[in-house]
Short mmCIF file of all heavy atoms in Angstrom, two decimals:
data_model
loop_
_atom_site.label_atom_id
_atom_site.label_comp_id
_atom_site.label_asym_id
_atom_site.label_seq_id
_atom_site.Cartn_x
_atom_site.Cartn_y
_atom_site.Cartn_z
N PHE A 220 -10.18 4.24 -70.09
CA PHE A 220 -10.88 5.33 -69.26
C PHE A 220 -12.27 4.95 -68.95
O PHE A 220 -12.70 5.20 -67.76
CB PHE A 220 -10.80 6.66 -69.98
CG PHE A 220 -11.28 7.78 -69.22
CD1 PHE A 220 -10.62 8.26 -68.18
CD2 PHE A 220 -12.45 8.46 -69.52
CE1 PHE A 220 -11.10 9.37 -67.39
CE2 PHE A 220 -12.96 9.50 -68.94
CZ PHE A 220 -12.37 9.98 -67.81
N THR A 221 -13.08 4.45 -69.90
CA THR A 221 -14.44 4.11 -69.58
C THR A 221 -14.44 2.79 -68.58
O THR A 221 -15.28 2.92 -67.73
CB THR A 221 -15.17 3.60 -70.89
OG1 THR A 221 -15.11 4.71 -71.89
CG2 THR A 221 -16.60 3.21 -70.70
N VAL A 222 -13.58 1.97 -68.82
CA VAL A 222 -13.53 0.89 -67.84
C VAL A 222 -13.22 1.32 -66.39
O VAL A 222 -13.77 0.82 -65.46
CB VAL A 222 -12.44 -0.22 -68.35
CG1 VAL A 222 -12.26 -1.25 -67.24
CG2 VAL A 222 -12.81 -0.74 -69.58
N GLY A 223 -12.31 2.30 -66.30
CA GLY A 223 -11.99 2.90 -65.00
C GLY A 223 -13.22 3.52 -64.35
O GLY A 223 -13.33 3.36 -63.11
N ILE A 224 -14.03 4.31 -65.14
CA ILE A 224 -15.20 4.98 -64.66
C ILE A 224 -16.12 3.94 -64.14
O ILE A 224 -16.72 3.96 -63.05
CB ILE A 224 -15.69 5.93 -65.62
CG1 ILE A 224 -14.73 7.06 -65.88
CG2 ILE A 224 -17.14 6.40 -65.15
CD1 ILE A 224 -15.19 8.05 -66.92
N LEU A 225 -16.27 2.80 -64.98
CA LEU A 225 -17.33 1.76 -64.57
C LEU A 225 -16.77 1.09 -63.29
O LEU A 225 -17.63 0.79 -62.45
CB LEU A 225 -17.40 0.80 -65.77
CG LEU A 225 -18.46 -0.16 -65.51
CD1 LEU A 225 -19.90 0.31 -65.25
CD2 LEU A 225 -18.47 -1.27 -66.69
N LEU A 226 -15.49 0.72 -63.21
CA LEU A 226 -14.92 0.07 -62.06
C LEU A 226 -15.16 0.95 -60.82
O LEU A 226 -15.31 0.50 -59.72
CB LEU A 226 -13.50 -0.34 -62.26
CG LEU A 226 -13.26 -1.43 -63.26
CD1 LEU A 226 -11.79 -1.63 -63.47
CD2 LEU A 226 -13.97 -2.74 -62.83
N ALA A 227 -14.89 2.24 -61.01
CA ALA A 227 -15.08 3.17 -59.88
C ALA A 227 -16.54 3.11 -59.39
O ALA A 227 -16.74 3.18 -58.10
CB ALA A 227 -14.73 4.62 -60.32
N ILE A 228 -17.48 3.08 -60.23
CA ILE A 228 -18.90 2.94 -59.80
C ILE A 228 -19.10 1.64 -59.09
O ILE A 228 -19.88 1.67 -58.04
CB ILE A 228 -19.88 3.16 -61.00
CG1 ILE A 228 -19.68 4.52 -61.59
CG2 ILE A 228 -21.34 2.97 -60.58
CD1 ILE A 228 -20.47 4.74 -62.93
N MET A 229 -18.49 0.70 -59.55
CA MET A 229 -18.71 -0.65 -58.90
C MET A 229 -18.13 -0.72 -57.54
O MET A 229 -18.65 -1.37 -56.55
CB MET A 229 -18.16 -1.73 -59.81
CG MET A 229 -18.83 -1.84 -61.20
SD MET A 229 -18.22 -3.21 -62.24
CE MET A 229 -18.55 -4.58 -61.33
N ILE A 230 -16.90 -0.17 -57.39
CA ILE A 230 -16.29 -0.30 -56.06
C ILE A 230 -16.59 0.73 -55.03
O ILE A 230 -16.25 0.69 -53.88
CB ILE A 230 -14.71 -0.31 -56.18
CG1 ILE A 230 -14.17 1.04 -56.64
CG2 ILE A 230 -14.26 -1.43 -57.15
CD1 ILE A 230 -12.64 1.14 -56.85
N LEU A 231 -17.39 1.81 -55.54
CA LEU A 231 -17.66 2.83 -54.64
C LEU A 231 -18.57 2.38 -53.44
O LEU A 231 -18.32 2.82 -52.27
CB LEU A 231 -18.51 3.93 -55.47
CG LEU A 231 -18.83 5.15 -54.78
CD1 LEU A 231 -17.62 6.03 -54.32
CD2 LEU A 231 -19.87 6.03 -55.76
N PRO A 232 -19.54 1.51 -53.61
CA PRO A 232 -20.29 1.14 -52.49
C PRO A 232 -19.48 0.34 -51.48
O PRO A 232 -19.73 0.48 -50.25
CB PRO A 232 -21.43 0.24 -53.12
CG PRO A 232 -21.48 0.65 -54.60
CD PRO A 232 -20.20 1.05 -55.01
N ILE A 233 -18.59 -0.49 -51.91
CA ILE A 233 -17.74 -1.24 -50.98
C ILE A 233 -16.97 -0.37 -50.16
O ILE A 233 -16.92 -0.44 -48.85
CB ILE A 233 -16.82 -2.28 -51.86
CG1 ILE A 233 -17.71 -3.17 -52.58
CG2 ILE A 233 -15.97 -2.98 -50.81
CD1 ILE A 233 -16.83 -4.15 -53.47
N VAL A 234 -16.12 0.65 -50.74
CA VAL A 234 -15.24 1.47 -50.02
C VAL A 234 -16.17 2.47 -49.12
O VAL A 234 -15.71 2.62 -47.96
CB VAL A 234 -14.47 2.37 -51.04
CG1 VAL A 234 -13.56 3.31 -50.24
CG2 VAL A 234 -13.67 1.43 -51.99
N THR A 235 -17.30 2.75 -49.54
CA THR A 235 -18.21 3.63 -48.76
C THR A 235 -18.65 2.92 -47.52
O THR A 235 -18.65 3.48 -46.45
CB THR A 235 -19.41 4.14 -49.56
OG1 THR A 235 -18.85 4.96 -50.69
CG2 THR A 235 -20.23 5.06 -48.74
N SER A 236 -19.06 1.64 -47.73
CA SER A 236 -19.75 0.92 -46.59
C SER A 236 -18.68 0.73 -45.53
O SER A 236 -18.87 0.89 -44.30
CB SER A 236 -20.20 -0.43 -47.01
OG SER A 236 -21.33 -0.12 -47.97
N VAL A 237 -17.45 0.25 -45.83
CA VAL A 237 -16.40 0.00 -44.84
C VAL A 237 -15.86 1.24 -44.18
O VAL A 237 -15.73 1.34 -42.99
CB VAL A 237 -15.28 -0.88 -45.52
CG1 VAL A 237 -14.17 -1.12 -44.51
CG2 VAL A 237 -15.80 -2.17 -46.18
N SER A 238 -15.71 2.29 -45.02
CA SER A 238 -15.20 3.61 -44.32
C SER A 238 -16.34 4.17 -43.43
O SER A 238 -15.98 4.66 -42.41
CB SER A 238 -14.93 4.46 -45.54
OG SER A 238 -13.95 4.12 -46.29
N ARG A 239 -17.58 4.08 -43.87
CA ARG A 239 -18.60 4.54 -42.86
C ARG A 239 -18.66 3.83 -41.50
O ARG A 239 -18.75 4.41 -40.59
CB ARG A 239 -19.96 4.31 -43.63
CG ARG A 239 -21.14 4.99 -42.75
CD ARG A 239 -22.48 4.45 -43.29
NE ARG A 239 -22.70 3.16 -43.05
CZ ARG A 239 -23.00 2.11 -43.92
NH1 ARG A 239 -22.95 2.40 -45.18
NH2 ARG A 239 -23.21 0.82 -43.67
#
Side-chain angles (χ1 to χ4, degrees):
F220 183 70
T221 303
V222 172
I224 293 178
L225 183 61
L226 291 177
I228 297 173
M229 295 179 65
I230 68 177
L231 185 65
I233 299 175
V234 182
T235 302
S236 298
V237 179
S238 300
R239 184 191 72 237

